[in-house]
Amino acid sequence: MTRQTWQDAVNDIEQSAGVATLRQHQLAAVAGALLPTDMPRLVAAARLQTVLGDDIAGESISEVLEVQHELMESLQTTKVRITTPAANRSEARGWIEYLFLRRRQNALRRLEINAGDIVGYPDIEGAYEVSSIGEDGRVYFKGARTGSAWPDRLVVKARAGDVGREAQDVRRAAASRASLLGTTHELSQAKLFDLRPWKVEWQLGVGAIDKLAEVIETASDEKPIQMFLEQHPELLAALLGGRERFAVPRPSLGGKYEPDFLLADTDSLGIRWLLVELETPISAITLRTQNALDKSARRGVTQIQEWREWLQNNLDVARRPTRQDGLGLSDIRPNSEGLVLVGRRHLLGNSSSAVRSGASEQNSIRIHTYDWLVESLRSIIDFVGPPAVNPHLLKPPR
């Protein structure tokens, strides 16, 4: 059973950590044993098991372990003490459980946390919205794959009713964390419904590929390429091989960033996203005198890294359906793979291949020329065989 308020959880712990019950005292009298009036019911249960022994198939009597002695000593405080020394390992376990319950009870009284409050760990970045509190004091966080922690490890970062700027920032971070915890790999009709406006229905055709090649040949920057790809979303969507494919052109990330394209496809593992940045086709990609990316390619990589950071901080908004004032980007992840299209092959420097490979390995961001895009699309359409094994598709990084 879980609770919504700290008071209810404290009361639950009081029930579990209270003194021996009348029934336990009656059983002890029948067995010819004596239970101290201040003995916790958890320890009393262990003593009864020892006294009754074979009559109830209790465990054999064994000496208290050294590690149990050390743990009991470390858990005691000036107000919470062991009043009757443990006679065996079973009683030691009872005392340890009792001491832990009292510690969590005191922590809940100190924190006074309720469902909806935002908590975190001291000196560690991250925030979590409290979903409920267990009868043993365990604090559960919002999210389908629920995380949790003991209250004595937590601090309060914002209350449910706080409305200040700092509280809003903390709550937004907690919502993103909850969304990440809530990720499942299962597709649902609701997720597909949210992506429906961007579903690519058209098949890849030779005519569109040839026209794209012409646009690239005459373009002095990325703008005409962007416009043509928006008119023919099947060109970029063809790079992914899922059962259903989606292309989102120039979505606004909180009014701060505007990716050129967000691509997605679906398979048995769920939804996979690819972040696409277009840069000028007249870039050499790498510097002539250094083994480093040039300004345009470097800007493309930086853009994708900034989008990822925004997604990390606003994941709940990004994934929330548009009908609930979100972006509708179902199951998008902050570490989604990136693709930068920049430059032409004849402009490449000698170090281009090594530099681009390094960027891909470090950041999971592929850097390719527009010639690569055209050639990949032609190879995709010419391939004869099962689509899933087409070697020209962009496979997920290993």
Side-chain angles (χ1 to χ4, degrees), residues 50-352:
T50 301
V51 172
L52 294 172
D54 295 337
D55 296 328
I56 60 170
E59 64 179 76
S60 59
I61 299 175
S62 52
E63 293 185 0
V64 180
L65 295 171
E66 182 178 353
V67 67
Q68 289 179 315
H69 279 299
E70 293 175 353
L71 188 53
M72 286 187 289
E73 185 62 32
S74 67
L75 290 173
Q76 293 183 82
T77 67
T78 55
K79 294 183 178 180
V80 182
R81 307 293 299 176
I82 294 176
T83 56
T84 304
N88 51 53
R89 292 180 192 176
S90 181
E91 289 189 17
R93 284 196 296 270
W95 275 115
I96 290 170
E97 185 177 357
Y98 167 80
L99 293 170
F100 268 124
L101 285 173
R102 288 302 188 192
R103 171 181 283 192
R104 295 160 193 163
Q105 187 182 48
N106 290 334
L108 289 173
R109 285 173 173 153
R110 172 176 51 83
L111 296 174
E112 296 186 352
I113 52 176
N114 301 311
D117 289 343
I118 308 298
V119 298
Y121 299 98
D123 304 321
I124 298 178
E125 186 177 355
Y128 309 84
E129 181 176 341
V130 176
S131 171
S132 60
I133 307 171
E135 59 186 7
D136 59 353
R138 188 81 175 176
V139 180
Y140 294 95
F141 306 141
K142 186 177 180 181
R145 292 183 289 123
T146 309
S148 61
W150 295 116
D152 47 288
R153 297 186 59 205
L154 300 174
V155 295
V156 177
K157 296 200 170 184
R159 297 294 182 184
D162 291 347
V163 295
R165 176 64 181 274
E166 184 176 351
Q168 291 177 358
D169 291 342
V170 170
R171 186 165 297 282
R172 183 168 58 251
S176 296
R177 178 69 180 178
S179 184
L180 193 58
L181 286 172
T183 300
T184 64
H185 293 300
E186 297 179 359
L187 276 177
S188 66
Q189 290 302 312
K191 292 179 181 179
L192 294 178
F193 180 84
D194 293 335
L195 294 173
R196 187 177 59 176
W198 305 298
K199 186 175 181 179
V200 176
E201 305 281 5
W202 302 277
Q203 295 295 318
L204 182 63
V206 175
I209 299 174
D210 290 341
K211 182 61 177 177
L212 172 63
E214 293 179 16
V215 173
I216 293 171
E217 193 66 35
T218 58
S220 58
D221 59 29
E222 66 276 12
K223 293 179 182 178
I225 303 174
Q226 169 85 34
M227 292 179 61
F228 187 79
L229 290 174
E230 287 185 18
Q231 295 168 2
H232 297 273
E234 72 276 11
L235 291 168
L236 287 179
L239 295 173
L240 304 179
R243 294 193 299 261
E244 296 178 283
R245 286 166 288 182
F246 308 87
V248 186
R250 292 190 282 184
S252 175
L253 302 184
K256 188 174 183 180
Y257 301 110
E258 188 179 83
D260 290 323
F261 286 94
L262 300 181
L263 305 181
D265 68 346
T266 66
D267 57 21
S268 59
L269 296 178
I271 303 173
R272 168 197 174 195
W273 285 91
L274 180 69
L275 318 179
V276 181
E277 167 67 8
L278 307 180
E279 290 291 337
T280 177
I282 59 174
S283 162
I285 299 184
T286 56
L287 300 173
R288 296 292 183 187
T289 58
Q290 300 178 39
N291 289 335
L293 297 173
D294 76 354
K295 180 175 66 175
S296 297
R298 193 165 58 249
R299 181 173 58 242
V301 171
T302 300
Q303 289 270 49
I304 291 177
Q305 291 172 331
E306 290 175 342
W307 305 341
R308 287 172 169 173
E309 183 177 353
W310 188 91
L311 289 170
Q312 180 70 51
N313 295 329
N314 301 273
L315 195 57
D316 178 58
V317 174
R319 292 178 169 182
R320 194 187 307 152
T322 54
R323 61 185 178 278
Q324 297 176 12
D325 299 323
L327 301 185
L329 307 176
S330 300
D331 284 355
I332 195 168
R333 301 184 68 85
N335 60 348
S336 296
E337 187 184 4
L339 171 64
V340 176
L341 293 172
V342 58
R344 301 293 305 279
R345 185 166 293 139
H346 68 273
L347 298 175
L348 296 179
N350 295 331
S351 64
S352 174

